[in-house]
Amino acid sequence: MSERTGGRPAPGPLIIIGGHEDKEGERGILAEFAAAVGGGKVVLATIASEEPDEYVESYRRAFEGLPVGELVALHLDDRAETHSPEKLAAFDGARGVFFTGGDQLRISSQIGDTPVEQRIREIWQSGGVLAGTSAGASVMSDTMLVRGPGATSYRLGDVHMAPGLGLIRDVIIDQHFAERGRIGRLIGAVAHSPRVLGIGIDEDTAIIVEGRDFRVIGSGAVYVLDGEGVTRSNIGEAQAERALSIYDMRLHVLSAGDGFDLERRRLHEEPFTVSEIEQGLAERVS
Amino acid sequence: MSERTGGRPAPGPLIIIGGHEDKEGERGILAEFAAAVGGGKVVLATIASEEPDEYVESYRRAFEGLPVGELVALHLDDRAETHSPEKLAAFDGARGVFFTGGDQLRISSQIGDTPVEQRIREIWQSGGVLAGTSAGASVMSDTMLVRGPGATSYRLGDVHMAPGLGLIRDVIIDQHFAERGRIGRLIGAVAHSPRVLGIGIDEDTAIIVEGRDFRVIGSGAVYVLDGEGVTRSNIGEAQAERALSIYDMRLHVLSAGDGFDLERRRLHEEPFTVSEIEQGLAERVS
């Protein structure tokens, strides 16, 4: 995870979770986080929430029996606290930070450009693991979705975006994706600027980003919306509440085991599975 | 609508509605249906429902003041009734048939290959209008979606399909589309056979199909999922409940005024709108 390149450690992985990760059964995603942290200390950052205690209790239980070290909760009541030496001490020796759900604007507005953000980046840049679920997932990108209805198609003006933490560039992340019917709002977000790749992550599903690659883990799907080839859209038209038209979006649906190259915007090629080989043989025989 | 080609009338339009069309305000979709029927007699087919009376009352009110002629309700308790001269008399002189919602399997199983279906085809083939909303929309295609969960990504084995009425070929239609988070199941349906084009229609939104073209009306969006260019999917793998992977789907989102060519699978080219021209000028000036 922390391969050294020219003597300098590479940043650790980002584990970006679509919310509602399994906390009782196999806990595949949390186990993967624990393995990445390698038994080290973890800071559970409940900054996104106004009711941190429930999150702390829930994650203490969820991590029981998984190979993480000390689990330290960090909450902030206001931005001033980001300078508190006591709060900052939570990060001492930490090898992972896990952002819980809540409101992504609480994270970005409270810690953006503060010593807390600095400490988190230092942990990551020295090979530590940053994970975030739900709101904690959205905040990872440079531009984040902060509001927009689900279970409806995108109407011009519907979606609100804001700067995120910028840990992953040129993507915009949405979570609880299929469950809350959010493809409309992610299409709307990408329509604004097809430079950004839309990544919609289902519940109990995550992407593990290392460098400019990610792979998918968990039980659901990850949707990649690529607007590069879009030939027409009406996003520039002024009429609010008008339904969006957009043509020639490229859509990939990925699931556990799939890998994706964010630079080339292409799937990792993998060896054919046994069933594909059998199918190919069957076709040649028949 | 009923242009004669070589002395023979062309089939009338199909108006395929995503459910919950506006019945109280401007009633744009119902008004379009009424205009297409041209003041003629309409058969309101409540075959999909087990509680037809509510539909009849609701549509009687909804069509009040719109230029439709006589409105005759048709319900069938069982398949045997499709031979009843009394039931068949409902179609005499009708210029339109409107299928309400309910269960699409009730329509296809009760009227498929019966004199009722025959009469409906005759009306359509002589230039009459066939409309269907919700279940009445799904049943129009040759293969229809009959079951599959919303608000989740597609899992292998999730979706159930059955033969529909075959009034529109090589497409599969889904309705209540954004509202019920159905893109997952439509992706799954198209993954089975990219020969069929997936068409997902939002509530209060419709496509008007004439020949192999359609145009969009109503307040929502129409999603077109084209699997022709798909490079990989795991749909052939045997594991049930495994999330689907599929790459390089093409996705179009259409809204009111957009036209689509089902043969070429391409948007109709339209003259640029004023705002697009202005934008183009602004870019050249700046």
Side-chain angles (χ1 to χ4, degrees):
Chain A
M1 297 285 164
S2 55
E3 292 157 36
R4 286 175 178 273
T5 44
R8 215 179 136 220
L14 300 175
I15 302 183
I16 309 180
I17 311 165
H20 280 319
E21 64 283 353
D22 177 22
K23 294 185 190 68
E24 292 183 343
E26 293 186 13
R27 298 174 291 173
I29 292 170
L30 296 181
E32 191 98 27
F33 171 75
V37 171
K41 172 180 169 182
V42 169
V43 176
L44 183 72
T46 58
I47 303 164
S49 170
E50 293 188 56
E51 290 173 22
D53 294 347
E54 285 173 36
Y55 281 104
V56 173
E57 197 179 324
S58 156
Y59 278 101
R60 281 209 188 280
R61 271 202 309 273
F63 278 113
E64 257 169 37
L66 292 178
V68 288
E70 192 188 356
L71 194 66
V72 180
L74 175 78
H75 192 69
L76 299 171
D77 283 322
D78 53 45
R79 196 172 155 91
E81 285 192 329
T82 59
H83 295 265
S84 143
E86 193 186 308
K87 294 285 182 185
L88 290 169
F91 295 103
D92 293 348
R95 296 305 294 157
V97 179
F98 191 104
F99 286 99
T100 68
D103 177 350
Q104 46 267 50
L105 267 182
R106 280 182 59 92
I107 305 178
S108 62
S109 63
Q110 291 212 358
I111 72 168
D113 202 24
T114 68
V116 165
E117 188 195 14
Q118 169 102 17
R119 294 293 291 117
I120 291 169
R121 280 184 184 276
E122 282 165 10
I123 290 168
W124 179 52
Q125 277 158 358
S126 67
V129 187
L130 304 190
T133 186
S134 192
S138 286
V139 80
M140 298 253 177
S141 54
D142 38 2
T143 302
M144 64 179 180
L145 262 165
V146 289
R147 209 166 63 237
T152 181
S153 292
Y154 179 77
R155 262 87 180 165
L156 303 183
D158 255 4
V159 157
H160 297 258
M161 289 178 275
L165 296 183
L167 301 167
I168 174 171
R169 301 269 171 198
D170 300 331
V171 306
I172 193 153
I173 289 163
D174 209 352
Q175 13 81 7
H176 301 283
F177 194 68
E179 292 78 8
R180 298 192 186 168
R182 285 179 163 175
I183 192 151
R185 76 182 210 178
L186 189 59
I187 290 171
V190 171
H192 281 79
S193 173
R195 175 182 68 78
V196 299
L197 199 69
I199 301 181
I201 308 174
D202 283 355
E203 294 179 355
D204 192 36
T205 308
I207 61 173
I208 303 184
V209 185
E210 296 191 78
R212 294 297 285 170
D213 285 288
F214 72 77
R215 67 187 169 91
V216 177
I217 60 171
S219 63
V222 171
Y223 295 72
V224 177
L225 277 167
D226 181 351
E228 194 193 2
V230 164
T231 49
R232 272 182 80 103
S233 100
N234 63 353
I235 191 90
E237 290 177 26
Q239 279 175 282
E241 314 225 338
R242 166 110 178 65
L244 174 73
S245 290
I246 188 161
Y247 318 105
D248 293 311
M249 297 278 288
R250 189 184 296 271
L251 171 65
H252 310 291
V253 185
L254 282 63
S255 62
D258 291 333
F260 197 82
D261 177 335
L262 287 165
E263 238 20 89
R264 294 172 50 238
R265 296 188 167 197
R266 298 300 301 163
L267 187 74
H268 290 169
E269 297 301 333
E270 310 245 359
F272 285 109
T273 63
V274 172
S275 69
E276 281 172 310
I277 294 166
E278 283 172 353
Q279 206 182 336
L281 286 174
E283 278 165 10
R284 255 166 288 157
V285 170
S286 64
Chain B
M1 297 288 163
S2 55
E3 294 157 33
R4 286 173 177 276
T5 44
R8 210 176 140 226
L14 300 174
I15 302 183
I16 307 178
I17 311 165
H20 281 318
E21 64 285 354
D22 177 22
K23 293 185 189 66
E24 290 183 344
E26 293 187 10
R27 298 174 291 173
I29 293 171
L30 297 181
E32 192 99 25
F33 172 74
V37 171
K41 174 180 168 181
V42 169
V43 176
L44 183 72
T46 57
I47 302 164
S49 171
E50 294 189 54
E51 290 173 22
D53 295 347
E54 284 172 36
Y55 281 104
V56 173
E57 197 179 324
S58 156
Y59 278 101
R60 280 206 190 283
R61 271 203 309 273
F63 278 114
E64 258 170 37
L66 292 177
V68 288
E70 194 187 354
L71 193 66
V72 180
L74 175 78
H75 193 70
L76 299 171
D77 284 320
D78 53 45
R79 197 171 155 91
E81 286 193 329
T82 59
H83 294 267
S84 144
E86 195 186 305
K87 293 285 182 185
L88 290 168
F91 295 104
D92 293 349
R95 296 305 293 154
V97 178
F98 190 104
F99 286 98
T100 68
D103 177 349
Q104 45 266 50
L105 267 182
R106 281 182 60 92
I107 305 178
S108 63
S109 63
Q110 292 213 357
I111 73 168
D113 202 25
T114 68
V116 164
E117 189 195 13
Q118 168 104 14
R119 293 293 290 116
I120 290 169
R121 280 185 184 276
E122 283 166 8
I123 289 167
W124 180 52
Q125 278 159 357
S126 67
V129 186
L130 304 190
T133 186
S134 192
S138 287
V139 81
M140 298 253 177
S141 53
D142 37 3
T143 303
M144 64 180 180
L145 263 166
V146 290
R147 210 167 62 236
T152 181
S153 293
Y154 179 78
R155 262 86 179 165
L156 304 184
D158 254 4
V159 157
H160 298 260
M161 290 179 274
L165 297 183
L167 301 166
I168 175 171
R169 301 269 170 195
D170 300 330
V171 305
I172 193 152
I173 290 163
D174 209 352
Q175 14 80 10
H176 302 282
F177 195 68
E179 292 78 8
R180 298 191 186 168
R182 286 180 162 174
I183 193 151
R185 76 183 211 176
L186 189 59
I187 290 170
V190 171
H192 281 78
S193 174
R195 175 183 68 77
V196 298
L197 198 69
I199 301 181
I201 308 175
D202 282 356
E203 294 179 355
D204 192 35
T205 308
I207 61 172
I208 303 183
V209 186
E210 297 192 78
R212 292 297 286 171
D213 285 287
F214 73 75
R215 67 187 169 88
V216 177
I217 59 172
S219 63
V222 171
Y223 295 71
V224 177
L225 277 167
D226 183 351
E228 194 194 1
V230 164
T231 49
R232 272 183 80 104
S233 101
N234 64 353
I235 190 91
E237 289 177 29
Q239 279 175 285
E241 315 223 338
R242 166 112 177 65
L244 174 73
S245 290
I246 189 162
Y247 318 105
D248 293 312
M249 297 277 292
R250 189 183 296 271
L251 171 65
H252 310 291
V253 186
L254 282 63
S255 62
D258 291 333
F260 197 83
D261 177 334
L262 287 165
E263 239 18 90
R264 294 172 51 238
R265 296 188 167 195
R266 296 301 300 163
L267 187 74
H268 289 169
E269 297 300 333
E270 310 243 359
F272 285 108
T273 63
V274 172
S275 69
E276 282 174 308
I277 293 167
E278 283 173 354
Q279 206 183 333
L281 286 173
E283 278 166 11
R284 254 166 287 159
V285 169
S286 65

